Amino acid sequence: MFLLLPPSETKRPGGAGAFDPARLRFADELAEFRRRVREALESLSSDEAAAAKALKLGVKNRSELAHNRRLGESGVLPAIERYTGVLYDALEVATLDTASRKWLDDHVAVQSALFGLIGAGDEIPAYRLSASSRLPELAMPLKRLWSGAHAAISWDDAPGLVLDLRSQDYAALAPLPDGIGWFLHVAQRSADGEVRALNHFNKAAKGDLVRRLASDQAAVSDMDALLSWGSSAGLELHADPDERTLTLVTQLGAPGMTASRQADAG
């Protein structure tokens, strides 16, 4: 199984060691594009006023520009630890055991606006860039550059079922080829039994799902196997083969979350 996650705008600061882009997953296919985006971001970030406008930074988070100026020397963390926010809070990677962490490294990738598709265990610096940002030196939107770059990736060697948990903006940076992958929808079942799209806790439900899979070190080769695993885990999953979508139906609120964690996620 191979899970594709969105990143988050917020990043955990700190880390140790130097950033080495050659050690990122898909280095052969994406190295040149990563270099171009990085250089364009560093150039933009040298002009604080222009960068703040382009990256939509306010007074309180303008200090994040410093990350973009020190990408090679600010220290690195595994991507799955670097990203924060609702999905990653629900995943609670710091509390997983060694085997579960290894599962994440083997089965999870994150769609970065700066680095493209990277492995969960790939070590990256803190940065500020989103899928909708415009970098003047590139003379094209990130969507156009990255979608072309990722077309070179072969999915033939993906470890089983590909499940896409990315948001629409980040999925557009690296669209999956036809017939490859399933897209996850999240819905909630209210007290009256009605099922409706889950908005507020969408990311939390996704993070909880990834945590459950990693905790079980789930061996999932196809959709039937995932549905079987979900049933054994007490999850309500529905697959639509025609649309290649999987719907996770939760109870009202975020599955597996305490009241305090729900408050934090809000």
Side-chain angles (χ1 to χ4, degrees), residues 107-164:
H107 296 272
V108 173
V110 183
Q111 188 69 57
S112 165
L114 175 55
F115 303 117
L117 201 60
I118 55 177
D122 287 356
E123 296 186 327
I124 60 171
Y127 66 92
R128 181 61 183 246
L129 182 68
S130 65
S132 60
S133 300
R134 291 296 298 264
L135 299 176
E137 284 197 4
L138 292 180
M140 69 176 70
L142 287 171
K143 175 182 175 180
R144 180 179 170 189
L145 182 144
W146 279 128
S147 61
H150 287 84
I153 292 177
S154 172
W155 292 94
D156 294 340
D157 297 328
L161 174 74
V162 177
L163 186 61
D164 195 345

Side-chain angles (χ1 to χ4, degrees), residues 216 226-235:
D216 288 351
L226 179 59
L227 294 174
S228 177
W229 169 85
S231 178
S232 67
L235 297 176

Side-chain angles (χ1 to χ4, degrees), residues 62-85:
R62 188 170 294 198
S63 61
E64 294 182 24
L65 285 175
H67 297 316
N68 295 345
R69 302 188 191 108
R70 303 178 61 247
L71 294 173
E73 58 189 41
S74 59
V76 294
L77 289 173
I80 204 70
E81 296 178 24
R82 177 66 74 188
Y83 295 109
T84 61

